[in-house]
Amino acid sequence: RVRHAIALAKQGKQVALICSGDAGIYAMASLVYEIIDLEPCRIEVNIIPGISAFQAAAAKAGAMIGHDFCCISLSDLLTPWEVIAARVRAAAEGDFVISFYNPRSLKRRDQLERAFAILKQHRLPETPVIIATNLGRPEEKLKIVAFKDFNPDDVDMLTLVMVGSSQSKSITRGDGGTYAYTPRGYAKKRDAAQ
């Protein structure tokens, strides 16, 4: 698809290469630049930013990425599992909110469980976990569960899984809905002023 778009652009045509989410986050933009790097050509490239799944999930669930966060793809098709596991460990030890992209597929079934086994050493059982499937589509589903209640069977390739940091919280509001957020630390500043 990218090669075809580049070939059309080389012919002087205006081409739009469309992908879901943000083109620069686990999507087509990096492949466009990789191909141009390997096969230099004189075409103009404009990347239009979009809303990524981690942003959409956090906004719909509350404000989970209110403090430091990271995104990790669990697909080991192009990245060895040892590298992914090292990244999960580093993010867990760094106490980041972690968004997992590509958590499962028909062939890749256990990466998510292995990632959660690493996280279990660094997260409390009540840590909120957002499970967001088909974001922005009519079949959209989003739920927030405690880390201890997370079930990987609720996840497929169209799901983003976001695990809170040690500071993340879930609350139930007056509308009966559960929301998750990660405080920025303003409470300490407020308490110090009083």
Side-chain angles (χ1 to χ4, degrees), residues 15 27 30 60 62 69 83 117 121 135 144 154 169 186 189 192:
V15 181
S30 63
K60 288 182 177 284
F69 63 91
V83 172
Q121 304 165 43
L135 286 165
I144 301 168
D154 293 337
K169 302 176 185 300
Y186 292 114
K189 192 172 186 176

Side-chain angles (χ1 to χ4, degrees), residues 5-191:
I6 289 173
L8 293 173
K10 284 180 183 178
Q11 295 171 18
K13 297 182 178 174
Q14 288 191 344
V15 181
L17 184 60
I18 299 175
C19 48
S20 63
D22 182 286
I25 300 175
Y26 299 119
M28 297 284 107
S30 63
L31 187 53
V32 167
Y33 278 100
E34 183 177 350
I35 290 173
I36 289 172
D37 183 31
L38 295 171
E39 303 165 16
C41 60
R42 293 179 54 89
I43 61 171
E44 181 180 2
V45 177
N46 293 303
I47 306 298
I48 310 297
I51 300 296
S52 186
F54 80 91
Q55 294 167 293
K60 288 182 177 284
M64 187 80 108
I65 55 174
H67 209 308
D68 295 336
F69 63 91
C70 68
C71 300
I72 299 173
S73 172
L74 293 181
S75 174
D76 60 0
L77 296 175
L78 300 173
T79 304
W81 172 253
E82 298 74 32
V83 172
I84 295 169
R87 292 173 180 169
V88 173
R89 271 191 294 283
E93 291 169 4
D95 201 21
F96 288 92
V97 171
I98 307 169
S99 295
F100 289 117
Y101 278 76
N102 306 311
R104 294 184 107 178
S105 70
L106 293 174
K107 294 180 182 177
R108 295 180 305 96
R109 303 303 294 166
D110 68 339
Q111 284 85 345
L112 186 58
E113 289 91 333
R114 291 192 281 172
F116 265 68
I118 294 167
L119 287 176
K120 190 174 185 176
Q121 304 165 43
H122 304 277
R123 295 297 184 268
L124 295 172
E126 295 307 318
T127 300
V129 177
I130 298 170
I131 304 166
T133 305
N134 283 310
L135 286 165
R137 297 180 175 113
E139 316 82 41
E140 177 179 283
K141 291 187 293 186
L142 186 136
K143 69 179 177 177
I144 301 168
V145 300
F147 188 89
K148 65 180 168 86
D149 298 325
F150 176 75
N151 182 353
D153 291 334
D154 293 337
V155 175
D156 63 22
M157 193 61 178
L158 297 175
T159 303
L160 177 118
V161 177
M162 186 179 295
V163 180
S165 73
S166 67
Q167 302 302 304
S168 300
K169 302 176 185 300
S170 63
I171 59 171
T172 302
R173 299 202 56 215
D175 64 0
T178 300
Y179 300 88
Y181 74 100
T182 304
R184 286 274 301 148
Y186 292 114
K188 293 175 193 167
K189 192 172 186 176
R190 183 189 65 229
D191 293 345

